Amino acid sequence: MNPTKVLIVGGYGTVGSQIAKILHDRHPTLELLLGGRSAGKPLPFASTRLKPFLLDISKSDPLAHAPDDLALIISSVNDPDDKLLLAAVRRQIPLIDVTRWTERFTRSIDRLKKENMGSPAILASGWMGGTVALLASIHTSSLQDVRIHLHALYSLQDKAGPDSTDYMDRMTIPFTVTTPTGVKEVTPMSDPVPVTFPNGFHTKCYRLDTPDHMTLVKAPNVTAADFRIAFDNKLSTFALVLLVKSRIWDMLGKSTRQKILYNPGAGSPHHVVIQINGRNEHGMNVKRQVEITDPKGQTHLTALGAAIFAQPILRQSENETVTPGVLFPEDLRHLEMSAEDILQFYRSEGVQITIHDETKKSRTV
């Protein structure tokens, strides 16, 4: 029996190498191809099932020399012109992407509308490879009139790849969010709200444009969604807010902006707080808080996002296939994975997930 082949584009990078290790350890029959532009790089870990594969994402057809029997492609590098995405779709190879920020995200969706899709393209470009949107979706599925507020604590000491700062060029560009009263235009690093994270760190979080607030509101029970961020150094958060509000950020060169935001360290835990407000089936108001901590950091949680979306594709059979078309992180709970399966997946990889519930009768004032 031939091994199942998975191509990880950017497989030598910070996120890609962790995706490879997670899938390698969970699936003993997988052959993992690590895609990169340079030959002779050392493999991130030793295994006979790990193979190098030369690939240049800037080529008109990045998959021109790829094997015909790829079961899945996972992209952990920027695909700015959608060349990899379109090459996979046209070959009907399932693809998972964790790199697109909102502008490229919406443009890619528009492009895919023109394609005859015979395979799934899972656009898991929300925070931490779509993990946060997925867990938010799980914990809102039984509620109505749901408002979701996502908050992330970005560690300045964590590992990171250069693509992690791709959003920096959009820090002064307004974007829209959905509120209970309709769509509203907001600006990055505005509208601070105080949040206490699982490690006890209390700080103000500011708006950031991510695909999460676009995809979460596609659910009929969700009326609002937004995303906010803070650094684990309050002075750094304050400095970024000042630079953005004063428009000095626009005057800085790209290399200077990257130096400010991209200073990866040896590693640090990542913390997320999801605040949910809605009504249960009895009409009672529910206030729910989901607290997430990954001791292995931001890049590990992103890798887990890619890895969990790979599960239904890798286990599909002739009688069970993943629906072709564009899928988002929240769609995973409809793909033969229960909420408990999903939570167990993350917890088995060391992610700590705690849920706090408060239920009150609704009052008419």
Side-chain angles (χ1 to χ4, degrees):
M1 185 178 188
N2 293 327
T4 302
K5 293 179 183 177
V6 174
L7 170 62
I8 302 175
V9 182
Y12 293 89
T14 307
V15 172
S17 59
Q18 292 181 85
I19 296 172
K21 189 67 168 69
I22 294 165
L23 294 181
H24 176 275
D25 293 349
R26 284 183 168 268
H27 300 275
T29 62
L30 282 188
E31 180 178 299
L32 297 162
L33 308 181
L34 301 190
R37 289 187 296 178
S38 303
K41 281 187 177 181
L43 295 173
F45 57 94
S47 173
T48 58
R49 295 189 284 118
L50 208 61
K51 311 287 185 182
F53 181 76
L54 278 176
L55 177 145
D56 188 345
I57 207 167
S58 67
K59 299 293 184 182
S60 59
D61 182 2
L63 300 177
H65 305 292
D68 294 331
D69 57 347
L70 285 176
L72 171 65
I73 298 171
I74 301 176
S75 178
S76 63
V77 296
N78 280 330
D79 181 20
D81 299 311
D82 295 331
K83 291 177 180 177
L84 177 67
L85 174 65
L86 294 175
V89 166
R90 289 166 183 170
R91 287 173 170 81
Q92 298 191 12
I93 304 172
L95 178 136
I96 299 168
D97 182 278
V98 296
T99 63
R100 283 170 167 76
W101 283 85
T102 312
E103 183 180 18
R104 290 177 181 170
F105 186 83
T106 53
R107 186 187 64 190
S108 299
I109 294 171
D110 289 339
R111 279 183 172 169
L112 290 176
K113 289 176 181 177
K114 302 173 185 177
E115 299 293 325
N116 181 19
M117 298 190 65
S119 60
I122 302 176
L123 301 184
S125 300
W127 194 253
M128 300 299 104
T131 289
V132 177
L134 173 61
L135 295 180
S137 177
I138 287 173
H139 291 97
T140 58
S141 60
S142 63
L143 303 176
Q144 296 299 319
D145 298 328
V146 178
R147 287 151 286 154
I148 303 173
H149 309 291
L150 312 175
H151 309 92
L153 185 62
Y154 192 98
S155 173
L156 295 173
Q157 295 302 310
D158 200 4
K159 301 174 184 177
D163 288 347
S164 65
T165 58
D166 189 46
Y167 62 90
M168 67 184 179
D169 293 329
R170 298 186 55 81
M171 293 300 287
T172 57
I173 299 176
F175 59 96
T176 58
V177 295
T178 302
T179 74
T181 57
V183 176
K184 173 184 177 183
E185 184 174 86
V186 297
T187 56
M189 305 311 291
S190 66
D191 301 336
V193 297
V195 178
T196 301
F197 288 92
N199 62 343
F201 189 81
H202 184 79
T203 190
K204 291 180 180 178
C205 292
Y206 296 80
R207 289 191 184 275
L208 189 69
D209 186 12
T210 72
D212 305 273
H213 62 76
M214 294 174 51
T215 62
L216 283 168
V217 295
K218 292 181 182 296
N221 64 323
V222 178
T223 60
D226 52 54
F227 181 94
R228 287 178 171 84
I229 194 172
F231 294 127
D232 60 356
N233 181 298
K234 292 183 181 181
L235 182 59
S236 296
T237 304
F238 175 77
L240 181 59
V241 170
L242 184 63
L243 288 171
V244 170
K245 284 188 174 181
S246 66
R247 310 294 293 193
I248 293 175
W249 189 256
D250 282 340
M251 303 177 196
L252 301 176
K254 185 165 185 173
S255 61
T256 302
R257 294 197 297 264
Q258 189 169 44
K259 287 177 183 177
I260 294 172
L261 292 178
Y262 181 58
N263 295 285
S268 181
H270 185 51
H271 304 282
V272 177
V273 169
I274 304 171
Q275 293 174 342
I276 297 165
N277 294 281
R279 291 183 298 105
N280 65 16
E281 67 272 22
H282 305 296
M284 301 178 74
N285 294 328
V286 175
K287 185 177 181 181
R288 180 170 294 158
Q289 181 157 304
V290 182
E291 299 176 354
I292 307 164
T293 295
D294 190 338
K296 295 182 181 179
Q298 293 151 188
T299 57
H300 182 253
L301 197 55
T302 301
L304 288 176
I308 196 169
F309 300 128
Q311 301 310 304
I313 295 172
L314 294 177
R315 71 185 186 190
Q316 67 184 354
S317 65
E318 293 180 0
N319 298 319
E320 176 190 336
T321 58
V322 178
T323 304
V326 178
L327 300 176
F328 303 121
E330 304 91 305
D331 295 319
L332 181 67
R333 61 190 182 90
H334 302 299
L335 301 178
E336 305 300 326
M337 286 193 80
S338 68
E340 189 53 43
D341 289 339
I342 294 168
L343 293 173
Q344 178 55 32
F345 175 92
Y346 282 101
R347 285 171 172 149
S348 69
E349 295 287 347
V351 180
Q352 300 157 16
I353 303 171
T354 305
I355 299 97
H356 303 279
D357 258 12
E358 180 182 325
T359 304
K360 294 181 179 179
K361 291 182 179 179
S362 59
R363 294 186 300 171
T364 302
V365 179

